Amino acid sequence: MSADDPTSPRPPATEPTAGFRVVCVVYHPGDELEDFAASLGHATTAPVELVLVDNGTDDTVTREVAERHGARVVVPGSNLGYGGGANAGASGATQPWLVVANSDLVWAPGSLDVLAAAADRHEGAGAFGPALLNLDGTVYPSARELPSLTQGAGHALFARVWPSNPWTQAYHRRQEVVGDERVAGWLSGACLLLRREAFEAVGGFDTSYFMFFEDLDLGERLSLAGWHNVYVPGARVTHVGGTSWRARPAKMISAHHRSAVRYLTRRYHRWYEWPVRVAIRVGLKARELLELRAAR
């Protein structure tokens, strides 16, 4: 790319010192994958190895995009889920930095370099997340607190009918594009910069979560191992969002609730907490049925 090219990203305040392996897990992708790969070319001035993990049964689109952008394709042979696919794509990496990202993202110019510069400033952090922008420019709450029982219950029950409820507000921690970097309980797996050393130390994603909650679980395990999760609002990506949900809303809703039950029953695993586990299962099943009815 020529230095005179007006589309070239502006160099970051701190140049990255090493390259990245970017892992993108896909399942029957559409045009959004081309947008992802094309915008990634403007996200950093450092070397990038793009690895596309195709969990689907037809990898035609994936291979076409890979050929145009010099990416490598990994075909596991079965659907490993998001965390399992990300682990497969990260396997064998030698770069100090891993990026795990959804295919329905568009990178802002220089955004990955901004994340890398933040990583240089926060040596005790294992994961970094950008500001995830919705299509209308609003900020998706991608940096959240680890939910307490009352906070999680309040959010689950009232988030849709009373979005400004105090439990959801505390869980999401109102976010703006501007503002200081801060430590969060966990960061959305839609776009994560991971210190490979930290990621490997905790064993990567827990593959028992097929979809959803694998990012919350990873953030919690990183924290328990002594690593911080840092939200970097100066780095921005636009999340088109919902490409999988639109095609398979019922399956996605059920998968989300199964993972929620798995995570919460593991957290409250002691024998005397069995009433909590029962309440969690009953409450989440009721919520799932309501959401499935609304999706019809």
Side-chain angles (χ1 to χ4, degrees):
M1 185 180 295
S2 168
D4 297 327
D5 187 341
T7 64
S8 297
R10 290 170 295 179
T14 302
E15 291 288 338
T17 57
F20 308 90
R21 176 178 289 192
V22 177
V23 179
C24 181
V25 181
V26 300
Y27 184 87
H28 299 159
D31 294 340
E32 77 282 351
L33 183 58
E34 172 64 28
D35 295 337
F36 171 90
S39 64
L40 179 62
H42 301 293
T44 178
T45 56
V48 170
E49 178 192 15
L50 176 58
V51 178
L52 304 177
V53 182
D54 196 310
N55 273 338
T57 56
D58 182 354
D59 60 9
T60 303
V61 172
T62 302
R63 292 196 180 278
E64 289 174 350
V65 172
E67 184 175 354
R68 283 193 293 273
H69 296 278
R72 180 164 63 88
V73 177
V74 174
V75 179
S78 62
N79 191 346
L80 302 179
Y82 190 73
N87 287 351
S91 178
T94 58
Q95 299 89 339
W97 301 108
L98 296 170
V99 177
V100 177
N102 286 3
S103 62
D104 53 357
L105 296 180
V106 176
W107 298 84
S111 51
L112 189 47
D113 283 346
V114 173
L115 282 175
D120 286 341
R121 292 191 296 272
H122 298 275
E123 295 183 357
F128 303 83
L132 285 181
L133 306 184
N134 299 311
L135 285 174
D136 61 1
T138 56
V139 184
Y140 176 78
S142 59
R144 305 185 182 188
E145 296 308 302
L146 294 172
S148 66
L149 183 59
T150 54
Q151 191 181 82
H155 169 69
L157 291 172
F158 299 111
R160 291 187 182 276
V161 296
W162 180 20
S164 62
N165 74 78
W167 302 283
T168 295
Q169 292 297 305
Y171 178 43
H172 284 180
R173 287 190 63 174
R174 184 177 299 279
Q175 292 172 232
E176 305 293 342
V177 175
V178 296
D180 295 332
E181 295 160 7
R182 64 174 175 82
V183 174
W186 64 282
L187 301 162
S188 171
C191 186
L192 280 175
L193 172 67
L194 296 160
R195 197 179 301 272
R196 182 170 60 85
E197 174 190 359
F199 184 72
E200 293 177 349
V202 299
F205 287 103
D206 182 341
T207 57
S208 67
Y209 295 95
F210 183 75
M211 285 191 72
F212 308 108
F213 279 78
E214 71 285 319
D215 45 7
L216 192 165
D217 172 80
L218 177 67
E220 184 171 32
R221 286 187 292 114
L222 284 170
S223 295
L224 290 172
W227 299 95
H228 297 310
N229 299 281
V230 176
Y231 176 58
V232 185
R236 306 178 189 184
V237 299
T238 299
H239 191 196
V240 176
T243 56
S244 295
W245 281 80
R246 284 194 293 268
R248 299 170 296 276
K251 289 184 178 180
M252 296 297 102
I253 289 169
S254 294
H256 183 271
H257 285 81
R258 281 196 301 272
S259 291
V261 168
R262 182 182 299 275
Y263 173 78
L264 290 169
T265 54
R266 283 179 172 179
R267 171 175 273 201
Y268 301 101
H269 64 277
R270 298 171 184 83
W271 70 266
Y272 56 82
E273 292 173 323
W274 68 265
V276 176
R277 294 193 293 274
V278 171
I280 286 169
R281 290 181 181 277
V282 171
L284 285 172
K285 189 62 181 180
R287 185 173 184 261
E288 177 186 354
L289 293 174
L290 289 173
E291 291 196 6
L292 287 171
R293 177 179 294 182
R296 293 194 185 109

